[in-house]
Amino acid sequence: MFEYLAKSCEGVLMKKNLYFYDEGDGKNKRLLGGKGAGLCTMTQLELPVPPGFVITTEVCKRYYEDGGKLPGGLMDEVGAAMRRLEELTDKGFGDPKKPLLVSIRSGSMLSMPGMMDTILNLGLNDETVEGLTKLTKNERFAKDAYRRFIQMFGKIVLGIDAKKFEDVFEKQKEKIGTKLDTDLKVEDMRKVVEQFKQIVKIETGKEFPSDPLKQLELAISAVFRSWNNKRAREYREYYKIPHDLGTAINVVLMVFGNMGPDSGTGVAFTRDPSTGAKGLYGEFLFNAQGEDVVAGIRTPLKISELEQKYPEIYKQLLDIADKLEHHYREMQDVEFTVEQGKLYMLQTRAGKRTAQAAVRIAVSMAEEGLIKKQEAVLRVEPGQAEQLLHKQIDPKAKVKVIAKGLNASPGAAVGKVVFDSDRAKELENAGKAVILVRPETNPDDVGGIIASVGVLTSRGGLTSHAAVVTRGLGKPAVVGCEGIKIDLEKRIFETNGTTVKEGDVITINGSTGEVIPGEAPLVEPKMSKELLKLLSWSDEFKRLQNWANADYPRDAKRARELGAQGIGLCRTEHMFFEQERLPLIRKAILGETEEERKEPLGKLLEIQKGDFKEILKVMDGLPVVIRLLDPPLHEFLPKYEGLLQEVIMRRMSGGRAEELKAAEDLLKRVEAMREANPMMGLRGCRLGITNPDINEMQVRAIFEAACELKREGKDPRPEIMIPLVGHVNELRTVREQLERVAREVMSKYGEVSYKFGTMIEVPRAALTADEIAEYAEFFSFGTNDLTQMTFAYSRDDAEGKFMFDYIRLGILQVDPFQTLDRRGVGKLMQIGVELGRKKRPDLEIGICGEHGGDPASIEFCHELGLNYVSCSPFRIPVARLAAAHAALKAGEAEKLRYL
Amino acid sequence: MFEYLAKSCEGVLMKKNLYFYDEGDGKNKRLLGGKGAGLCTMTQLELPVPPGFVITTEVCKRYYEDGGKLPGGLMDEVGAAMRRLEELTDKGFGDPKKPLLVSIRSGSMLSMPGMMDTILNLGLNDETVEGLTKLTKNERFAKDAYRRFIQMFGKIVLGIDAKKFEDVFEKQKEKIGTKLDTDLKVEDMRKVVEQFKQIVKIETGKEFPSDPLKQLELAISAVFRSWNNKRAREYREYYKIPHDLGTAINVVLMVFGNMGPDSGTGVAFTRDPSTGAKGLYGEFLFNAQGEDVVAGIRTPLKISELEQKYPEIYKQLLDIADKLEHHYREMQDVEFTVEQGKLYMLQTRAGKRTAQAAVRIAVSMAEEGLIKKQEAVLRVEPGQAEQLLHKQIDPKAKVKVIAKGLNASPGAAVGKVVFDSDRAKELENAGKAVILVRPETNPDDVGGIIASVGVLTSRGGLTSHAAVVTRGLGKPAVVGCEGIKIDLEKRIFETNGTTVKEGDVITINGSTGEVIPGEAPLVEPKMSKELLKLLSWSDEFKRLQNWANADYPRDAKRARELGAQGIGLCRTEHMFFEQERLPLIRKAILGETEEERKEPLGKLLEIQKGDFKEILKVMDGLPVVIRLLDPPLHEFLPKYEGLLQEVIMRRMSGGRAEELKAAEDLLKRVEAMREANPMMGLRGCRLGITNPDINEMQVRAIFEAACELKREGKDPRPEIMIPLVGHVNELRTVREQLERVAREVMSKYGEVSYKFGTMIEVPRAALTADEIAEYAEFFSFGTNDLTQMTFAYSRDDAEGKFMFDYIRLGILQVDPFQTLDRRGVGKLMQIGVELGRKKRPDLEIGICGEHGGDPASIEFCHELGLNYVSCSPFRIPVARLAAAHAALKAGEAEKLRYL
């Protein structure tokens, strides 16, 4: 991908190291970074953008290729660009009279919010700061800008501990008895500047660099360096962003939001990122620089307040939003600054949004005619649809709300309180659900947020770090919850009257901002009308059918309501575990003669017939794949270890002889049925060969149920699935035996339509699928077992014993039981599909492993040409959307192929 | 194969239904059957063959296609042929004066001794028998021939119970007080004939058919019918002979070995079928028909006695043997009859022989220049070589011999005595080794012989049924052991002073003919010089190398002596199970800190180093593949169930608290390590990732051992094998970690040559072999595990729970743990080889599963292009021969392909 893009750019663009905004290609985010490309586009749309230029990501790559050195000649080009910038702005870089100040902003192809560094006010030194004072007639402002610059430059470029600067600054505020920066007077600022310069001198052994071009060179290196800092690398690893993309750097004329009460800075979304409602949505801080908003330290005003104070600017923003949405055909997230009443756009990009907003925006935009229905479907990731199906607090439940903050990311979460990211990771590793509670979060907390089921902060707004990151991850969050007082040392937080300790369970409601002590009852969510519409569009484009795994009539009903087009897996043995049935199946297993087994099997026949009749009735007219008995029989018997204990204890305590005898007999029977590796033992179709009577009872029940429904005017479509086939002769033998039973039943009642087929869950079945297809009208990939055999991972053992280490060490990227392993298991599936269809072109092929509800796996199933994917009922909406994505993406790939 | 042959014959031969011996193509056994082709060849070599013709196998096929009817027009052709036969013999079919009598003999392409029917003396009726009397001037002879004909025809053609005839015949002998047929006078024979005719009339309701042409028609139908009798079908199934080959029928002028003291009949081998020594070897019965020899009822004379009585005939036989051997370039098994001093050859075919004889004959013939060395190698089946490696009774052991019979098939066997074939099968199914003891065996006993480890008969000679069948199967047999008196009713046998009951264990020595009560000590055999020569020739032609699986220096030594070219699998964990080591490995496993594990690991390091040094020294200059720790660690700990019992008992008996505590602690540790399916759990390379210190110790031991040997001037070639790899990242991770250890050791001692590689035993490894080959210098197919995963058969469970049923029901043809499953496991191997070599053309690939010693599997490994096969040391000779066979056969296939 990367190479392909690099090559395609080569001829056109690779010769230049930097582009002014009026010349850069706004579509080439790969080269110019997202921010640079956005500024180019906005400039070329004639929106108010401060002049500037962007140094390309190619330069960053060369920086790393050369072992962390700027390419030779780069600074000459930058110098020339600065001269052009001087001309455009009528200012001079380092000119004491009309000093040109610039910001240095990182910006890579893919958004990595807050992960890399930015430096403002660059170009200031002891001389230019005086020029700034004269120009602005505001020494306090100029000195404040200078101290900010020294502080930022000191930390980012010179690597000085930020705390040293903060301590000085806080001490100065204490000295004059205030908590607000704005209370500091010009003389305070002067002192701060002097002390900051002193810190630099002590820490680096050198004077603060005064040459603006030198400052610029150092800053460019530092920003490139920040591409590879630890948190940026972690972020990229989590989001699977390649490490070799590199970042671009924007060098832009400084505009000041902190130039007095007619200045300010803000961020805005063109639609509500939480609900998707149309209209400007955002925040504004008067007399502040941009970082103040994003950092979440001061709680900003809502953007609507800007309308009252600056109706013209608000109107201008609305126009810009409209222009941008029409240009990008996508909701935008913009940053802007007002400098003494004049609006400047500093950034535009596609806005992050909640899943709910994503759905609403996609559907609205399609209805507004901005995008096509296909695009609307593709704009909502299946993972987002999944979030909408997250549980919510039961609206009927009476819960005690102890605090309320901002509803930053919807959904409810229940977990143990932790107060730092390390503890969050620790407990998550131990399998606990945790909620991270922090005054505010910063980029170093990303790992902790990932480890948590939800986040609660006492400070920050809806665009604060915590809010942005949790929305991206689809985790509930409540932010800016000022009603809780966090004491990090005591590891507690207090609200009015309640104390919550680390480890205590709380519930947060990210949809309402409420904080609830203890575990609130959660319920399944309802689907919004927009989601229903999106799913109906999905159904128009998908080629895969969506079937459900359902063992009980109630599950089948729910599945059908959620859009299931069939039942892909009905596990008959689950029915056996129910209370009244277990004794019957035990008798049927332990009976030594056919006679002894006949009576319990007869009772089970009636019960199973009832179950099947219900399910077939619910799914009237749709296929229902019923799998015959699969697990080893000893699963239905008492556990060996328990029996062993009982026998020993009875022996030693000298109880009644007949009870001991019975226990010993049962122990012997269970012992004889024990297996070294039951997963690969006597189960599945092997049982049908060694113990045919249970299978026969099941098939009789299925056909009697179907036949009776047919008589009642229904349209039952049973499909009998024989599990664990590895050799065609197994299938042939079992099928022949069961077809006899089916024909016998139908000869009494009349014909029903039915199919016989098999699971493909043993590697050998996939490898010999042509032979097997001769006796199977359908295949259903049992990818849980197929993954077990292909990897030789016993799932029960792997998940507890080494899977975590494997993922931690990067041996596996994902758990193959979650997402299909394309290279191994997928290859077997491909072989199975090809061979099976070669023998029987109309073979019905599906998947009924858990992968049938996993979007990445569904995409693969589409590529393989399966007929359907089957998953748990509650995942059906996700799977429908994923199936549409797969079809639409494949369509695009198809188109690309023929370009 | 069959179709191919059929097509190639079509144009040339398919028009005719029968061929006279002077015109049939002696090479076309497919069409003429083995016997017919042999008679054609002998006729055309101008050897004394009675005139006759052969009805082709095509006719037999049409007989079955038409639902058991002779093709229309056939009998017209047969009639015409009989007229030509009349001309050739100057006799008339049904002519009362010069009656032409013929034998009707079956004979299919592949030998099925005694399985189908033969009818002698056909053409006799009340009139022609008188003519015969006149011609031979011997009424007794004529009547005897007539009663034999009625008896045979009655049983075979008319389906009358043979016992009815036998009873009459026995009664007649009793009447005159004799046990010998020859004591019966002419009047006795007349009476017998009359009574036999009566039996036919009673049983069939009709007179015995007197028209010779009708007799012939009925006989031809009956012989075709016998192709499909039960025992013939069973025989073909066992030997995998297609059921659609059909049999030919020979119609030959009768010659009589029972025409008085100057007549007789015999069988002879051109070399000793037991030892392979050159020279006529066989048996002769005076005044008898052929069936009397083969049936084993009368004990015949050695052929050498013929030399004394009929030196001319003996000389003639020697010449014929020489001619036949030069023509066929193969040891022949001939049947002949002497009629009043004149020799007639009745059959020739390749002779069955013991494995020992096969080797000696092949080697001698090559040395005599009769065949090439390649042919000699191909003439000995690997399975035969295996027989030569059967155990023998320890020559140093003092054994009590209670009886001695003929050494009919070499090797020693120990088993429980059974007295009938059903019981033999029953006990064999129950896993017992049995020896079948019978007065004599007949074709109905084939199943019982197959089920037994050896056979003992009290009657019959070296060419009796029991002798022939056991030699074919490679099972030890003692026949004609007249010293044992078998009482089938009491189910015992007695020798002079000893009574042996059914179920008692005996030992038989088929090489010496001895019978020994109880279990004699058995030892490995020595290889003959012929076998050594044959194996050295094999080594010239094979392309696969033969490596051995050896865990101990003593095994490695034996393997090298037997011709191993490397060690393909040295299982390091087997060393851990030895007494002094087990406590150390337990400490190393249970140690909770690195410190606690360090001390036992240090001790194990020294021990393993010693082992490796010995093995590497024994294999000096040859590769030694050492597999790192593979089994789950809990295999080295006490069993969970035992610990559980101990804890419960200690708790209840109230013993010492600290002992209970220790037991409980151990139980807890072992419980934590238990796995649901240990075969697919924490083992193999997964251990190297979660518990790296054991692996590191092992690699350190290997490299220290190799480095020290190098210093001593040796040439150690260790290859480190990482087991259970399923994902390239596992291999990469473990290899990197272990290469560090290897480099560390070598930096101290100096370099040694080594390789790192992996088992391919997980399906995913085969499917992604290209990725894996990047980090592996060699692959070794671990087909035991690969078979387990590909079939999802836990071997421990399958063999006991369903494998037997699967083979019995024909779901599996063979146990896939014995012979590689080409279609499933083999396909994975093929994928693995192709992908692996694509990435790394010089990849060394072998197999170390048990299949590495199985001839059919070795052939497949050759086809796959593996570099070596590795098996148990004692199977190395078999594997060397199998490797040569594979190469030579592939060469032939290669040639055919380019024809």
Side-chain angles (χ1 to χ4, degrees), chain A residues 38 77 143 158 211 286 323 760 848:
Chain A
E77 279 184 74
K143 285 287 169 16
L158 305 176
D211 174 10
F286 278 99
K323 261 194 192 149
I760 301 288
C848 64

Side-chain angles (χ1 to χ4, degrees), chain B residues 552-586:
Chain B
Y552 302 98
R554 61 175 180 273
D555 295 340
K557 191 155 174 288
R558 176 145 177 81
R560 191 161 193 170
E561 284 163 7
L562 289 170
Q565 296 162 287
I567 298 298
L569 180 62
C570 173
R571 280 161 293 204
T572 50
E573 66 269 15
H574 281 202
M575 302 176 178
F576 290 157
F577 283 109
E578 300 203 345
Q579 212 168 3
E580 48 163 340
R581 307 170 185 198
L582 197 53
L584 292 174
I585 185 74
R586 283 189 180 168

Side-chain angles (χ1 to χ4, degrees), chain A residues 641 674 676-677 679-680 686 729-730 764 767 771 790 792 794 797 801 806 811 821 823 827, chain B residues 641 674 676-677 679-680 686 729-730 764 767 771 790-792 794 797 801 806 811 821 823 827:
Chain A
E641 290 79 2
R674 281 185 96 194
N677 297 282
M679 189 57 66
M680 303 193 291
R686 299 165 197 172
N729 290 346
E730 295 175 309
R764 197 179 183 284
L767 293 163
E771 297 177 342
T790 305
S794 162
D797 303 313
K801 293 223 159 62
Y806 267 37
I811 289 173
D821 160 52
R823 302 222 40 155
K827 196 165 193 172
Chain B
E641 290 79 2
R674 283 184 93 194
N677 298 281
M679 189 56 68
M680 304 193 290
R686 298 164 198 172
N729 290 345
E730 295 175 309
R764 196 178 185 284
L767 293 163
E771 298 177 340
T790 305
F791 276 88
S794 162
D797 303 312
K801 295 222 155 66
Y806 267 37
I811 289 172
D821 160 53
R823 302 221 39 154
K827 195 167 196 172

Side-chain angles (χ1 to χ4, degrees), chain B residues 1-14 58:
Chain B
M1 173 71 175
F2 164 70
E3 282 197 57
Y4 162 78
L5 280 169
K7 276 207 182 126
S8 78
C9 301
E10 214 160 9
V12 192
L13 291 167
M14 266 191 54
E58 289 296 318

